[in-house]
Amino acid sequence: MAVQTAAKPIKITETVLRDAHQSLIATRMTTEQMLPIIDKMDKVGYHSVECWGGATFDASLRFLHEDPWDRLRKLKDGFKNTKLQMLFRGQNILGYSPYADDVVEYFVQKSIANGIDIIRIFDCLNDLRNLQTAVKAANKEKGHAQVALSYTLGDAYTLDYWKDMAKRIEDMGADSICIKDMAGLLVPTQATELVQALKEGSNLPIQLHTHYTSGVAAMTYMKAVEAGCDIIDTAMSPLAMGTSQPATEVMAKAFEGTEYDPGFDQNLLAEIADYFRPMREEWLESGLLSPKVMGVNIKTLLYQVPGGMLSNMVSQLKEMKAEDKYDEVLEEIPRVRKDFGEIPLVTPSSQIVGTQAVLNVVSGERYKMLTKESKDLLVGKYGQTTKPVNADVQKKALESLGMTEPITYRPADDIEPQLEKLEKEMAQYKQQDEDVLSYALFPQVATEFFKYREAQQKKVDTSVADTENKVYPV
Ligand code: CO
């Protein structure tokens, strides 16, 4: 007789409206493309839908001429039963460098006020001090604060390291922990050990976020769930796999009939997939979706480089007419990472390490030139690195910045409040409170957008006036 075990259904976060299109089509899905399907998505029974933050904010303003806040409100109107989730880069918010606490607090407050339920907060160095302000703000606004650990490999990253991190995350007041495996480096057996270590370190729910890049992700989820992982991230099949997440339908099917069965309706999932499939065809035809990001790229396990970082690197080399240096740069990345304290590679550290590796190779001399971001990282302006940085390279950075010693305090302690000044700078464009936050993150791009918005509104006004003045035949 089969032993009856208590059901512990796996919870699923759907990423099709954020990470999936960020990973596959450079974050170009529009609000208009999202809205018609959210009524059906709302009936699936997802734990949450990740639909905001990450690169969506920048891409909306910059490429789609959309107000990201307006998108969030529309999604909130549609998702009546499902929690909305966003990705937040700690003290960097949705930008690429640290902001003052007042901006971080206000951003969290407005995100929750406009509809976000769960904020996934990470730091590219796993320096928890960079998450404090955002976590506290989310607690204060009664949002769910999830702290994400940027997963990476290296001597420093022992099971004890992760276990200790889990304990510290619980102590700092987070509501759950996410393993953020942006490069798809976590293999199945290590997932078992990692989940167990995090469970030993804390009592918080554990969520696993990975990418299919190296081809192991679905197996990794299976092992993680068996080890006690509570929530996994998946994407509807037309936008799944490759550099995106494992497919929602596949994972739901894989757990069907087991104690982890999420209880999803496969017919409903098929209808949702049918909605996205023609879009996938269009993106393939237009070239926005490249076959390059769709298969399995095992190099990601060899070089431990996230997919997005590889494509950035290729375009930088193209610009410098040095495409033949690709393999050399690929080998240089781990060396720079080591000199920079064996840090995880995720926005913005991935860009910093990648750009420096390109410079080291193309200039023909390592660290002949240091980018501003490299210097800042080496002197502690992004926070504490996992291991000490290379002392010689750090000395060079300190000298060129006119500093005698690296920063050891929380970097944002140095940043004066910014909101008041920002409000003054952009007052002429302000149409809603949230506009100052768009401006804070991307001053130029937001200003362009504000001008575009005004121009559009004027157009609408004149067309209304035209209609009113028209004489219609009776
Ligand atoms: Co991701």
Side-chain angles (χ1 to χ4, degrees), residues 8-12 179 186 188 191-196 199 206-208 217-234 251-252 254-256 258-262:
K8 34 188 167 180
I10 182 71
K11 294 177 182 169
I12 290 182
I179 305 161
L186 187 61
T192 304
E193 289 176 358
L194 180 58
V195 170
Q196 282 166 350
K199 286 272 175 187
I206 307 292
Q207 180 154 11
L208 177 55
M219 291 178 274
T220 299
Y221 276 165
M222 186 64 93
K223 282 290 185 191
V225 169
E226 286 171 1
C229 174
D230 303 273
I231 316 155
I232 54 173
D233 285 13
T234 64
M251 291 317 304
F255 289 115
E256 213 177 87
T258 73
E259 60 199 296
Y260 309 110
D261 192 341

Side-chain angles (χ1 to χ4, degrees), residues 15 18-20 22-23 50 87 120 180-183 209-211 233 243-245 346:
T15 67
R18 205 285 298 177
D19 203 6
Q22 180 173 329
S23 300
E50 192 200 36
L87 181 67
R120 175 178 291 171
K180 180 176 165 58
D181 180 19
M182 52 280 168
H209 172 88
T210 189
H211 289 252
D233 285 13
T243 51
S244 175
Q245 275 76 53
V346 62

Side-chain angles (χ1 to χ4, degrees), residues 303-316:
Y303 300 108
Q304 300 168 18
V305 172
M309 196 175 153
L310 284 178
S311 53
N312 270 347
M313 196 183 92
V314 171
S315 61
Q316 278 177 343

Side-chain angles (χ1 to χ4, degrees), residues 69 73 106 110 114 432-439:
W69 299 99
R73 288 187 287 266
Y106 196 43
K110 283 297 179 186
N114 281 282
Q432 57 177 348
D433 289 349
E434 290 80 1
D435 285 344
V436 70
L437 293 165
S438 306
Y439 179 81

